[in-house]
């Protein structure tokens, strides 16, 4: 039940976000909006990178008798519903700036709801089910992307803007009706909790150690994703084919690779799983770099490398999220897990910038080679990881080796 709830909650928080972040820019471009304006829509996702700043308040406060997690999820779903309703009254051909403002508001609501969802995950999942929880969160994200982004774009193209907004409103409202079925975690006290503190998390020595181990992987992920689609464009692959390849690879990653990694994490320590993950990412990026260095790759090889990348980074996301979940304090789970994931996401930003410069100057092979080197650095310094795995009050098979 908890895993299903996590998947549904994650999908719900991303439905409206991916509509405005993914589908709306394409719709506005078709209506004649400038590329400069559309570039600002990418900044809407920045709320997720900054959400750790207000995460302690989501952990501390509640405003209804529903409980702390359900209170925030309900409020943010209503907020998303209201802004989609506002968008219904706008015309993409004439109200591009207004839609940009709506996109930022929806992003804030989604990022805030994610804090509550992550707190629910930390508080509700038994230690041995955290890896499955990480996979469920990935499933929800993939569903939200497919429905809110891809499917709504098709609806707009075939039936119009108003119909797409109405369908999105109905879907969000339906999910709201399911919210009372969500069981409030027992760890979430009904009264306001004064304990949630960002400073408390940053003071812990294990926080610095685990981030030192994880950030080289984040850099490599940002770099590789930056190069993936332009590489296909340069090989003459059409935009629709690229979208199909990326969408299917993403879905396959979480539906096939994710459960396999979750199963492996029930048998391996987190430190061992992390080393295997870093090694497999190094190997995947090295192979892609080698293909580039040996000559012009075929389209089939390039598309296959997209599948390989998504498989490698699905492993990375499940292992990293499980690791962060293990290091999160149940009394402030939303704050801790949100902060870990936000800092991991921020670590990818230098990679996105470096990837373009490296590939532009030395070719795609050099770019993927630098990504492989960064993953290898993560593998080398993973010896810090056992020191970062703190003692837990509950018996956790993933960290019992370090008790």
């Amino acid at each position: 039940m908890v895993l299903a709830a996590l998947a549904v909650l994650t999908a719900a928080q991303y439905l409206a976000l991916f509509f405005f972040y993914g589908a709306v820019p394409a719709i506005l471009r078709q209506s004649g909006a400038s590329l400069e304006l559309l570039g600002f829509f990418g900044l809407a996702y920045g709320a997720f990178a900054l959400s750790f700043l207000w995460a302690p308040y989501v952990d501390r406060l509640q405003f209804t008798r529903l409980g702390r997690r359900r209170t925030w999820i309900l409020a943010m779903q209503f907020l998303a519903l209201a802004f989609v309703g506002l968008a219904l009254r706008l015309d993409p051909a004439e109200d591009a700036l207004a839609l940009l403002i709506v996109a930022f508001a929806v992003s804030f609501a989604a990022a805030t709801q994610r804090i509550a969802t992550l707190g629910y995950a930390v508080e509700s999942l038994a230690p041995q089910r955290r890896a499955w929880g990480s996979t469920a969160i990935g499933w929800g994200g993939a569903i939200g992307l497919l429905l809110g982004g891809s499917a709504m774009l098709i609806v707009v193209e075939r039936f119009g803007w108003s119909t797409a907004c109405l369908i999105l409103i109905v879907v969000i409202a339906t999910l709201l009706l399911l919210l009372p079925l969500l069981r409030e975690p027992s760890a979430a006290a009904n009264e306001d909790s004064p304990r949630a503190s960002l400073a408390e998390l940053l003071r812990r020595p294990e926080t610095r150690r685990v981030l030192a181990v994880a950030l080289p992987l984040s850099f490599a992920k940002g770099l590789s994703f930056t190069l993936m689609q332009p590489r296909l464009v340069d090989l003459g692959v059409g935009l629709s084919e690229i979208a199909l390849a990326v969408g299917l690879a993403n879905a396959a990653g979480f539906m096939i690779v994710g459960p396999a990694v979750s199963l492996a994490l029930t048998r391996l320590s987190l430190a061992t799983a992390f080393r295997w993950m870093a090694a497999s990412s190094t190997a995947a990026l090295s192979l892609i770099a080698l293909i580039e260095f040996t000559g012009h790759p075929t389209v089939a090889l390039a598309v296959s490398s997209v599948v390989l990348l998504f498989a490698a980074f699905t492993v990375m996301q499940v292992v990293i999220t499980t690791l962060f979940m293990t290091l999160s304090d149940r009394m402030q789970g939303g704050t801790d897990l949100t902060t870990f994931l936000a800092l991991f996401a921020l670590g990818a930003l230098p990679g996105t910038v470096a990837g373009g410069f490296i590939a532009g100057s030395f070719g795609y092979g050099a770019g993927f080679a630098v990504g492989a080197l960064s993953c290898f650095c993560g593998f080398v310094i993973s010896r810090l990881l056992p020191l970062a795995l703190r003692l837990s009050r509950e018996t956790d098979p993933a960290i019992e080796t370090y008790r």
Side-chain angles (χ1 to χ4, degrees):
M1 182 64 181
V2 173
L3 297 180
L6 279 175
V8 171
L9 289 174
T10 305
Q13 73 198 18
Y14 284 133
L15 279 172
L17 176 71
F18 281 128
F19 178 62
F20 288 98
Y21 178 71
V24 168
I27 297 165
L28 292 178
R29 182 59 177 170
Q30 192 177 55
S31 300
S34 68
L35 291 174
E36 288 79 7
L37 174 63
L38 299 185
F40 284 102
F41 276 82
L43 296 177
Y45 210 73
F48 283 79
L50 298 175
S51 58
F52 67 92
L53 295 175
W54 61 89
Y57 299 100
V58 178
D59 268 338
R60 291 175 190 170
L61 304 175
Q62 72 179 66
F63 307 104
T64 73
R65 294 182 180 180
L66 287 172
R68 196 159 60 245
R69 300 308 176 199
R70 288 194 294 183
T71 290
W72 283 99
I73 293 169
L74 179 68
M76 294 304 106
Q77 281 292 93
F78 267 121
L79 190 60
L81 191 65
F83 278 105
V84 176
L86 177 60
L88 172 65
R89 304 177 64 86
L90 300 175
D91 183 350
E94 299 179 359
D95 301 313
L97 184 58
L99 285 172
L100 176 62
I101 296 172
V102 171
F104 275 93
V106 167
S107 179
F108 169 80
T112 304
Q113 183 176 335
R114 188 181 75 151
I115 297 169
T117 301
L118 294 177
Y120 171 79
V122 172
E123 294 161 356
S124 301
L125 289 169
Q128 64 271 19
R129 292 176 65 81
R130 288 170 184 156
W132 290 104
S134 302
T135 297
I137 290 171
W139 289 341
I143 293 169
L145 174 60
L146 287 173
L147 295 181
S150 303
M152 287 300 103
L153 187 57
I154 294 172
V155 172
V156 170
E157 185 176 33
R158 295 187 178 182
F159 304 104
W161 171 260
S162 297
T163 301
C165 289
L166 284 172
I167 291 175
L168 197 57
I169 288 171
V170 170
V171 173
I172 294 174
T174 301
L175 292 174
L176 276 173
L177 295 177
L178 298 176
L179 186 60
L181 300 177
L182 178 68
R183 185 178 178 182
E184 184 75 7
S186 58
N190 287 327
E191 66 275 3
D192 293 352
S193 170
R195 211 187 139 183
S197 167
L198 182 59
E200 193 275 331
L201 169 65
L202 297 178
R203 278 196 299 266
R204 298 179 210 158
E206 67 269 17
T207 300
R208 297 187 293 272
R209 289 171 181 151
V210 77
L211 288 174
V213 173
L215 287 179
L217 280 301
S218 176
F219 177 90
K221 182 177 181 180
L223 184 151
S224 303
F225 279 173
T226 298
L227 302 183
M228 179 176 59
Q229 295 191 50
R231 177 174 176 243
L232 293 176
V233 171
D234 288 352
L235 289 171
V237 182
L239 294 181
S240 59
E241 288 81 5
I242 292 174
L244 181 62
V246 171
L248 291 177
N250 183 45
F254 282 109
M255 298 301 173
I256 300 173
V257 179
V261 178
S262 297
L263 183 61
L265 279 168
T266 63
R267 302 170 182 237
L268 299 174
S269 72
L270 271 173
T272 301
F274 187 96
R275 285 192 291 270
W276 276 104
M277 177 269 293
S280 64
S281 297
T282 302
L285 292 177
S286 297
L287 178 59
I288 297 172
L290 182 62
I291 291 172
E292 287 289 334
F293 283 135
T294 54
H296 296 291
T298 65
V299 171
L301 276 176
V303 172
S304 298
S305 68
V306 171
V307 177
L308 180 62
L309 275 176
F310 271 100
F313 291 131
T314 296
V315 177
M316 181 184 297
Q317 180 166 332
V318 173
V319 172
I320 289 289
T321 304
T322 304
L323 173 63
F324 289 162
M325 203 179 296
T326 298
L327 293 174
S328 296
D329 188 334
R330 287 195 173 207
M331 294 301 294
Q332 56 174 58
T335 298
D336 288 9
L337 190 49
T338 297
T339 302
F340 276 128
L341 291 175
L343 294 178
F344 186 76
L346 287 173
L349 294 181
T352 63
V353 175
F357 280 101
I358 295 170
S361 300
F362 305 103
Y364 287 111
F368 286 111
V370 171
L373 180 61
S374 185
C375 288
F376 182 71
C377 289
F379 173 79
V380 171
I381 63 176
S382 62
R383 66 182 63 186
L384 292 174
L385 195 54
L387 300 174
L389 293 169
R390 61 185 174 86
L391 296 178
S392 173
R393 292 180 182 177
E394 299 180 36
T395 301
D396 186 345
I399 62 173
E400 189 160 294
T401 306
Y402 309 110
R403 286 183 172 276

